[in-house]
């Protein structure tokens, strides 16, 4: 049987041509996809123009990709606006311009959450915190990892501590280690030491250096020099200078130097 999108495309239902081209592109049939994207684009189905932009970009014909993305973005195809912003951002090799931020913001209207974040980041850096918060909230609602954390930071610096804490928590829920680290600190300050410790252990296991350092501090305070050395060693290897510096303090406290250094070498793997 003939594929339904081919039937509709042959009957000049041009949206069907786009869907057929999209399917062919996924299957790696780019020559056929291009033909059907052209038919869609030429008949005002602008998703087809975006598809042509994708094919041109893959072929490294950036000039042609820009042409098609611009055409599709003008007709509110969100993915095209996002791709156009990416091309322009790479071309400038500078901080995002207002033009690029507007393209990202336009992509955000169509729920391209990375576009929401990119626009929000630009407005935040430009000290337009109100617009930044609107865009970052949308990106965060779409579970775009950096957005919840950045939004928490903005709210924290506005002294909206309860709101900030909620966004740190959400950041952690979607596995942003920075958000989990701050949440662990919040738990510690609230006297929830077990929850704090559990988060740091989880983060350290995932190679988040600062949490390994915190575990080293806790164990040093408890005079558990063996575990303290293990965690400081790990944090040091992961690039945290504090962990490296505190290893010498553990060494000074160790009564059995030979045993300590044997454990240290074992920790180094």
């Amino acid at each position: 049987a003939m594929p339904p999108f081919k039937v509709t495309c042959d009957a000049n239902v041009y949206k069907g041509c786009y869907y057929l081209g999209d399917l062919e592109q996924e299957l790696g049939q780019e020559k056929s996809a291009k033909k059907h994207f052209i038919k869609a684009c030429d008949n005002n189905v602008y998703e087809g123009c975006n598809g042509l932009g994708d094919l041109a970009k893959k072929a490294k014909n950036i000039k042609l990709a820009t042409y098609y993305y611009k055409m599709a973005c003008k007709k509110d195809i969100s993915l095209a606006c996002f791709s156009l912003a990416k091309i322009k951002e790479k071309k400038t090799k500078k901080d995002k311009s207002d033009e690029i931020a507007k393209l990202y913001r336009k992509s955000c209207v169509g729920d391209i959450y990375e576009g929401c974040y990119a626009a929000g980041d630009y407005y935040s850096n430009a000290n337009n915190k109100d617009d930044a918060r609107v865009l970052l909230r949308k990106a965060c609602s779409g579970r775009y990892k950096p957005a919840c954390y950045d939004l928490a930071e903005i709210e924290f610096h506005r002294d909206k501590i309860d709101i900030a804490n909620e966004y740190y928590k959400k950041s952690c829920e979607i596995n942003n280690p920075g958000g989990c680290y701050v949440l662990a600190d919040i738990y510690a300050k609230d006297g929830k030491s077990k929850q704090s410790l559990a988060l740091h252990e989880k983060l350290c296991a995932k190679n988040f250096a600062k949490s390994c350092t915190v575990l080293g501090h806790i164990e040093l305070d408890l005079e558990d020099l063996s575990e303290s050395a293990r965690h400081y060693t790990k944090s040091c290897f992961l690039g945290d200078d504090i962990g490296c510096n505190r290893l010498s303090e553990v060494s000074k406290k160790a009564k059995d130097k030979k045993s300590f250094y044997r454990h240290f070498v074992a920790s180094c793997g």
Side-chain angles (χ1 to χ4, degrees), residues 140-212:
C140 178
S141 71
R143 299 179 67 82
Y144 189 73
K145 285 186 181 181
C148 302
Y149 181 83
D150 285 7
L151 189 54
E153 290 284 282
I154 289 174
E155 298 295 357
F156 179 82
H157 290 295
R158 293 176 66 233
D159 291 325
K160 303 290 184 180
I161 305 303
D162 289 342
I163 297 173
N165 289 351
E166 284 302 310
Y167 282 117
Y168 284 129
K169 186 176 181 181
K170 186 160 187 179
S171 173
C172 185
E173 286 171 357
I174 57 175
N175 298 318
N176 184 315
C180 293
Y181 181 79
V182 176
L183 185 60
D185 186 52
I186 292 167
Y187 283 150
K189 288 175 180 175
D190 288 346
K192 299 175 181 178
S193 56
K194 286 185 179 179
Q195 292 98 317
S196 178
L197 184 62
L199 269 180
H200 283 306
E201 287 174 342
K202 182 179 177 182
L203 287 168
C204 182
K206 292 183 177 180
N207 297 329
F208 190 73
K210 287 183 177 180
S211 280
C212 298

Side-chain angles (χ1 to χ4, degrees), residues 6 12-13 28 31 62 81 92 94 106 140 162 194-195 207 214 229 235 246:
K6 182 166 178 22
N12 294 333
V13 179
K31 187 174 180 181
I62 302 304
C81 300
T92 59
K94 298 177 182 177
K106 194 170 183 181
C140 178
D162 289 342
K194 286 185 179 179
Q195 292 98 317
N207 297 329
V214 169
S235 73
R246 294 300 285 272

